[in-house]
Amino acid sequence: MDRQRKIEAAQRFASSISEDHQQIVAIALGGSVARGNDLEISDIDLWCFVREGAAPSIEKPPGVRLDVEQYPASLLTRPDTDDSYFCGFISDARILLDRNCLLASCQESIRGNLADPEVKRARLVPIRESVERNFTEFDAAIHSGDPRVACRASAFAAWSFSDHLLTDRGSAPGGPRGIARLAAIWPDA
């Protein structure tokens, strides 16, 4: 399924469940589809934010690779800005439903936080340490002559380096998909 059809499927699904479940206050389309770097086989990632204690039972439509997660709406009013996964998802998300503008406000706050130079510098310290540690391990693995260790160390070195570059450019670290995210925001890398 191409990206546009995935987005349309997500919009139809969000519209349907929001009509059936008023306790859903916001729905975000995230992941590779929202970022625009999905593959044909990529699933559709939706986060539903629901009123406290009101997690509805949601049926996924047949024939669509859909990953639906539910979170309390209170996360939108006090987001954990130290949670790189949450911040990255919300920062990159397409808003499909936002009954009370909490998701838009949260997204704006997170994007501002990710762009703040002081926050960026503080976030770079542990990532820079990880880059240095992984490159040291890679160098040692090369000298040891063990190709398995060298391969593992080089993968972690590239991963931590991509997280460093993403953070330096005002984006949330990408975790295992960081290199693909890096290519999307810095195509000439």
Side-chain angles (χ1 to χ4, degrees):
M1 183 182 294
D2 69 23
R3 179 174 308 118
Q4 188 56 42
R5 289 180 53 204
K6 289 176 186 175
I7 292 169
E8 290 166 1
Q11 290 169 328
R12 281 191 306 276
F13 181 73
S15 178
S16 171
I17 64 171
S18 66
E19 289 174 15
D20 295 340
H21 303 287
Q22 292 297 310
Q23 65 269 44
I24 298 174
V25 298
I27 301 174
L29 167 64
S32 60
V33 175
R35 287 190 305 273
N37 63 352
D38 59 310
L39 303 173
E40 186 74 21
I41 61 169
S42 298
D43 65 350
I44 301 167
D45 298 303
L46 293 180
W47 283 9
C48 297
F49 293 91
V50 299
R51 290 189 193 103
E52 309 304 315
S57 175
I58 298 174
E59 274 189 52
K60 298 177 192 175
V64 178
R65 295 193 60 217
L66 194 61
D67 181 25
V68 180
E69 297 185 34
Q70 295 183 42
Y71 295 95
S74 62
L75 286 178
L76 298 174
T77 58
R78 47 180 168 43
D80 179 1
T81 55
D82 290 330
D83 182 341
S84 295
Y85 182 67
F86 178 83
C87 290
F89 189 97
I90 297 299
S91 176
D92 295 338
R94 284 182 175 228
I95 297 173
L96 301 180
L97 172 73
D98 197 3
R99 293 190 203 275
N100 49 16
C101 299
L102 289 177
L103 181 52
S105 176
C106 179
Q107 186 179 58
E108 183 180 331
S109 172
I110 287 171
R111 286 177 176 171
N113 183 279
L114 291 172
D116 181 301
E118 290 303 313
V119 171
K120 188 188 306 184
R121 264 193 282 288
R123 292 177 77 139
L124 283 171
V125 170
I127 296 172
R128 186 175 297 118
E129 291 168 356
S130 175
V131 168
E132 291 168 0
R133 182 179 62 254
N134 283 304
F135 275 104
T136 300
E137 289 174 11
F138 176 61
D139 186 52
I142 292 294
H143 289 92
S144 77
D146 185 341
R148 287 181 346 183
V149 174
C151 183
R152 178 192 172 283
S154 69
F156 279 105
W159 178 2
S160 59
F161 186 60
S162 73
D163 279 353
H164 182 277
L165 291 173
L166 283 165
T167 302
D168 187 53
R169 283 164 175 68
S171 184
R177 295 181 181 161
I179 294 172
R181 291 182 71 192
L182 181 60
I185 68 164
W186 192 24
D188 57 344

